[in-house]
Amino acid sequence: MLEIYKTNADGKLEQMNEIVNGSWISLVNPTNEEINQVLETVNVPIDFLRDPLDDEERSRIEKEDNHVLIIVDYPYVTQDEAGSTVYETIPIGLIITDDYFITVTLKETPILEVFKHSKMKQFYTNKKTRFALQLLYIISTYFLRYLKHINKETDKVEKQLHKAMQNKELYAFLGIEKSLVYFTTSLKANKTVLDKLMRFNYVKIYEEDRDLLEDVIIENTQAIEMAQTYSTILSSMMNTLASVINNNVNIAMKFLTTITIMLSFPTIVFSFFGMNVKLPMSDSPHAFWLTFVISIILSSLTALILRKKRYM
């Protein structure tokens, strides 16, 4: 999908029918025809437009002539096969030229909708450096937002586990842990790109935009720390959960072993008196009840001994 936007003289965002100077070109999962249409007007390397469409592309920044390509990862929400919510990351390319600003991504994202619906203050398509920094800032805030959602989901699954331990909750924990790994890896890669923006002259950072870049770095660093903290907490919870499961198995096995020992005495007694030979009390009318009482006494004594030994 190819969309073209430009801020007019009144500061309002308008959608255009053709590419003009100072416009923002938004490519979302573009076709070859749409890529060629952009290349006919904007003289950028074709790799700049195609690399962000690879969902395994690493975050980086590079410059060729007067064209700058910034690739960073942004978060998005999806569903796994079991229908559980999973948070993953995907690349987005920001291309800065002398006359245009281009974004390239595989999926539609609410991050771009913030700009398309004019929810960002002091946003102008012709101020390309500020636009890039504002976009990076929104990406960092979305990481933080989704991390808070992950934390709430963790608390929810934990409460469910306290009530009943089922495989569904365990798989939910696994999905959350995978999401945190994606986030941590992507945030660290984004941090490398932001550090390069700060230290090297890839794009001209105006004085009024330097504070915005510092805010982006702070938000990204905070997101890294949150992701690492949640990941550590989740790992501890998983280890504790494994210990609880093992302990429950041991308790169940000990209980079953105790019951087996208690039931073995009635089995022995009744087997003894059930032999087809001459036995004491074989002619007594109370033989059955005497046998039963002996079995109960032996089982009760065994239960008392095991209880004192804390096996029950």
Side-chain angles (χ1 to χ4, degrees):
M1 180 175 63
L2 169 62
E3 294 179 329
I4 305 163
Y5 297 91
K6 189 176 186 305
T7 307
N8 60 24
D10 297 329
K12 294 183 179 180
L13 190 67
E14 294 182 348
Q15 188 165 359
M16 312 295 291
N17 294 322
E18 58 182 4
I19 300 173
V20 296
N21 285 357
S23 61
W24 164 29
I25 304 169
S26 173
L27 291 168
V28 179
N29 193 20
T31 62
N32 290 328
E33 290 76 12
E34 290 171 337
I35 291 176
N36 292 331
Q37 180 182 344
V38 173
L39 289 174
E40 289 175 1
T41 305
V42 184
N43 185 26
V44 296
I46 189 171
D47 291 342
F48 278 23
L49 297 177
R50 294 197 180 275
D51 286 353
L53 300 176
D54 180 4
D55 57 2
E56 299 294 333
E57 190 68 27
R58 61 182 179 85
S59 297
R60 70 179 190 275
I61 180 171
E62 61 180 83
K63 186 174 184 179
E64 186 171 326
D65 298 329
N66 292 327
H67 311 311
V68 178
L69 169 65
I70 302 172
I71 297 180
V72 293
D73 288 334
Y74 70 89
Y76 74 99
V77 184
T78 184
Q79 302 284 332
D80 61 10
E81 295 179 355
S84 301
T85 301
V86 177
Y87 298 87
E88 297 184 356
T89 59
I90 194 170
I92 182 172
L94 316 179
I95 303 170
I96 303 174
T97 71
D98 291 335
D99 300 316
Y100 311 100
F101 185 87
I102 308 172
T103 57
V104 187
T105 184
L106 267 175
K107 297 179 180 291
E108 293 187 17
T109 168
I111 293 171
L112 295 179
E113 297 299 318
V114 171
F115 297 91
K116 292 178 181 180
H117 293 95
S118 302
K119 295 180 181 179
M120 173 62 69
K121 296 179 179 180
Q122 297 181 344
F123 162 57
Y124 306 95
T125 57
N126 60 318
K127 294 185 177 181
K128 297 176 285 294
T129 300
R130 176 176 293 183
F131 187 5
L133 295 178
Q134 288 173 327
L135 191 49
L136 292 172
Y137 181 82
I138 294 297
I139 290 173
S140 297
T141 59
Y142 263 81
F143 269 112
L144 289 170
R145 179 183 300 183
Y146 288 154
L147 281 169
K148 292 177 182 177
H149 291 173
I150 289 174
N151 189 40
K152 290 180 180 178
E153 186 68 23
T154 303
D155 292 340
K156 179 181 176 182
V157 175
E158 184 183 4
K159 291 178 180 178
Q160 292 174 347
L161 281 171
H162 284 203
K163 297 178 181 178
M165 193 172 297
Q166 299 179 356
N167 288 340
K168 181 181 178 181
E169 283 74 28
L170 297 178
Y171 285 128
F173 265 139
L174 181 62
I176 293 171
E177 190 172 27
K178 185 166 65 173
S179 299
L180 289 172
V181 171
Y182 286 142
F183 275 24
T184 303
T185 304
S186 297
L187 285 165
K188 287 182 177 179
N190 289 358
K191 183 177 185 299
T192 303
V193 173
L194 294 173
D195 289 342
K196 287 183 178 180
L197 274 175
M198 177 65 82
R199 289 182 294 169
F200 302 108
N201 191 27
Y202 283 99
V203 294
K204 185 177 181 181
I205 304 295
Y206 298 93
E207 192 62 33
E208 60 269 22
D209 295 331
R210 188 165 296 277
D211 289 341
L212 179 56
L213 177 56
E214 291 176 355
D215 289 341
V216 175
I217 294 174
I218 291 171
E219 292 289 312
N220 190 81
T221 302
Q222 184 181 352
I224 292 174
E225 292 173 353
M226 284 181 64
Q228 290 176 335
T229 300
Y230 292 160
S231 183
T232 301
I233 293 172
L234 189 61
S235 296
S236 299
M237 289 175 61
M238 292 290 284
N239 292 333
T240 302
L241 190 59
S243 299
V244 170
I245 292 173
N246 289 332
N247 187 54
N248 289 342
V249 171
N250 291 336
I251 292 173
M253 292 301 295
K254 187 166 63 173
F255 176 77
L256 292 174
T257 302
T258 302
I259 296 298
T260 303
I261 293 173
M262 291 172 58
L263 292 177
S264 65
F265 287 101
T267 303
I268 294 171
V269 172
F270 280 101
S271 298
F272 178 78
F273 283 97
M275 291 188 295
N276 193 20
V277 296
K278 188 67 176 178
L279 294 170
M281 299 185 300
S282 59
D283 297 328
S284 173
H286 304 294
F288 172 79
W289 294 109
L290 288 172
T291 305
F292 183 77
V293 170
I294 292 171
S295 301
I296 293 298
I297 291 172
L298 290 174
S299 295
S300 300
L301 289 173
T302 304
L304 288 173
I305 294 171
L306 292 175
R307 188 173 183 84
K308 286 184 178 181
K309 296 290 185 180
R310 295 184 179 274
Y311 285 110
M312 294 180 64

